[in-house]
Amino acid sequence: MIDSCRSRADFAALRRGRRFDSELLWMTFAADRGLRGPRVAFALSRHRGTAVQRNRVRRRLRAVFREFAIDLAPGRYLVGVRAAASAVTYQRARAELMRLLLAAEALSDRGNKRP
């Protein structure tokens, strides 16, 4: 199960986390073995598109996180978008997020064997 980052402590931990970048996305990861599972937050500014477009991107990113939920390391994840929201297709978001998770060593070996 994936929880949301909501508390001040969650965002304080993210400030101490490591940042990873790709062409389309960026991610900050703060590992925490004390958590039951991953906690995720999204940062999408108004410059990235209309509210409808930003919500669509958020839903796509949530779906990708749910797909990898079992294989994710416990910790806090903050994900943002670099490009216009309309450029974020599910397939591209999945590929880039997987690349970021592997770079952060936040995805177990089982997760990267998926097509």
Side-chain angles (χ1 to χ4, degrees):
M1 176 172 195
I2 297 177
D3 291 326
S4 296
C5 289
R6 292 191 176 142
S7 70
R8 182 180 293 223
D10 287 334
F11 290 99
L14 282 165
R15 277 194 295 279
R16 294 185 300 271
R18 291 177 48 210
R19 184 175 167 127
F20 301 89
D21 294 298
S22 73
E23 182 182 336
L24 183 67
L25 304 174
W26 58 265
M27 180 182 79
T28 301
F29 173 61
D32 188 347
R33 300 263 182 234
L35 295 177
R36 291 183 306 163
R39 290 187 185 174
V40 180
F42 300 101
L44 289 111
S45 74
R46 290 182 181 167
H47 294 97
R48 299 300 174 218
T50 66
V52 171
Q53 291 170 328
R54 293 191 313 267
N55 289 334
R56 184 177 298 130
V57 169
R58 201 173 288 118
R59 284 192 305 270
R60 287 178 181 162
L61 291 171
R62 268 194 219 115
V64 174
F65 268 100
R66 276 194 302 272
E67 183 178 344
F68 296 124
I70 294 172
D71 302 320
L72 288 175
R76 294 167 178 93
Y77 301 80
L78 176 62
V79 179
V81 176
R82 291 183 172 286
S86 59
V88 185
T89 64
Y90 180 82
Q91 291 80 12
R92 189 161 179 208
R94 184 184 185 280
E96 292 211 17
L97 192 55
M98 178 186 267
R99 203 170 309 128
L100 292 173
L101 291 169
L102 290 171
E105 298 177 358
L107 190 64
S108 73
D109 288 337
R110 293 181 306 171
N112 63 15
K113 290 187 174 112
R114 293 182 180 175

